[in-house]
Amino acid sequence: NAGVTQTPKFRILKIGQSMTLQCTQDMNHNYMYWYRQDPGMGLKLIYYSVGAGITDKGEVPNGYNVSRSTTEDFPLRLELAAPSQTSVYFCASSYSSLVTASYNSPLHFGNGTRLTVT
Amino acid sequence: SQELEQSPQSLIVQEGKNLTINCTSSKTLYGLYWYKQKYGEGLIFLMMLQKGGEEKSHEKITAKLDEKKQQSSLHITASQPSHAGIYLCGADPTGNQFYFGTGTSLTVIP
């Protein structure tokens, strides 16, 4: 199993450009998440999905959009990129609700996408 | 939303010293997770605590969830350079949204 795969690993955007960060997982996980991590900071939840066709906002959704047409894929779309969106983006997945899981079910993370907007 | 405040924000210790990182929640914790992130890399799961008073250890790292379930501490004994990185606590208060703490950056000086 590849786990959680993110592409691209690095990207430089100009202000106003748009792009899609790809995330796919092959573990049949229901829950998927997008986080951003600014330098020296913790992770902030952008959007999450509890299953195909269902998405919801996290802490910092402005400037982003997501879709979940399949269980495997959870792309993150940036429209009109701004310098404030310079960050490292992590996608994660988990099998079920972490609160009700009967076994340890930590998040599985991708390796991140480092995005710079100039 | 759940707020997880970590302290200290950063820590510089001499190799061999013990240290403690705290994670305080604004709400009751139903499961608290500790992750470690090496600089520039992804997150590594360390351990999960579910019950108030629960304590878990892995090698030289021990984590505890307090009885009132609003605070957790991570203790490293005899720190080594390999312990360096960012430590993050995380929680899932609603069953849907997994939130992370503000992070603690640890530097271990040989």
Side-chain angles (χ1 to χ4, degrees):
Chain A
N1 285 349
V4 179
T5 303
Q6 287 184 239
T7 56
K9 290 185 180 179
F10 304 95
R11 184 72 185 267
I12 298 174
L13 281 181
K14 293 187 177 179
I15 295 172
Q17 286 185 319
S18 59
M19 76 164 291
T20 300
L21 281 68
Q22 301 292 344
C23 175
T24 187
Q25 51 92 9
D26 61 0
M27 297 171 283
N28 203 32
H29 284 173
N30 295 323
Y31 289 67
M32 295 188 75
Y33 311 80
W34 272 107
Y35 294 90
R36 60 175 287 172
Q37 184 179 35
D38 298 328
M41 306 289 284
L43 278 75
K44 292 289 187 183
L45 181 63
I46 305 172
Y47 270 95
Y48 67 98
S49 168
V50 302
I54 307 170
T55 62
D56 210 342
K57 298 177 181 179
E59 301 172 89
V60 290
N62 292 343
Y64 306 95
N65 276 303
V66 293
S67 60
R68 184 93 182 272
S69 56
T70 66
T71 299
E72 294 78 20
D73 300 307
F74 190 41
L76 177 72
R77 178 87 177 157
L78 277 72
E79 304 281 4
L80 299 174
S84 60
Q85 292 178 305
T86 294
S87 190
V88 180
Y89 291 83
F90 287 100
C91 177
S93 71
S94 66
Y95 177 69
S96 65
S97 162
L98 297 171
V99 173
T100 59
S102 60
Y103 55 93
N104 288 356
S105 178
L107 296 180
H108 296 256
F109 281 88
N111 288 327
T113 295
R114 192 174 297 274
L115 175 67
T116 302
V117 182
T118 61
Chain B
S1 63
Q2 179 103 34
E3 291 189 0
L4 297 169
E5 191 72 31
Q6 287 183 235
S7 62
Q9 265 193 321
S10 65
L11 201 51
I12 302 172
V13 299
Q14 202 75 39
E15 182 176 358
K17 295 292 186 185
N18 302 336
L19 64 106
T20 299
I21 298 168
N22 293 303
C23 174
T24 302
S25 171
S26 60
K27 299 181 180 180
T28 300
L29 292 165
Y30 298 102
L32 189 285
Y33 298 76
W34 283 99
Y35 284 80
K36 178 190 172 185
Q37 182 183 29
K38 289 186 178 180
Y39 296 106
E41 297 183 13
L43 278 75
I44 302 166
F45 173 69
L46 294 176
M47 55 192 85
M48 168 184 168
L49 304 164
Q50 280 191 301
K51 303 174 186 175
E54 185 174 12
E55 182 174 314
K56 286 188 177 177
S57 293
H58 176 67
E59 297 179 344
K60 294 185 178 180
I61 300 176
T62 300
K64 186 186 298 186
L65 184 61
D66 81 353
E67 290 290 343
K68 296 182 181 178
K69 295 174 68 175
Q70 285 199 252
Q71 187 172 42
S72 177
S73 59
L74 184 86
H75 185 79
I76 298 177
T77 304
S79 58
Q80 300 169 354
S82 61
H83 287 129
I86 299 173
Y87 288 82
L88 295 153
C89 61
D92 180 14
T94 65
N96 291 332
Q97 303 178 44
F98 194 89
Y99 290 102
F100 282 93
T102 47
T104 296
S105 175
L106 173 63
T107 303
V108 180
I109 301 171

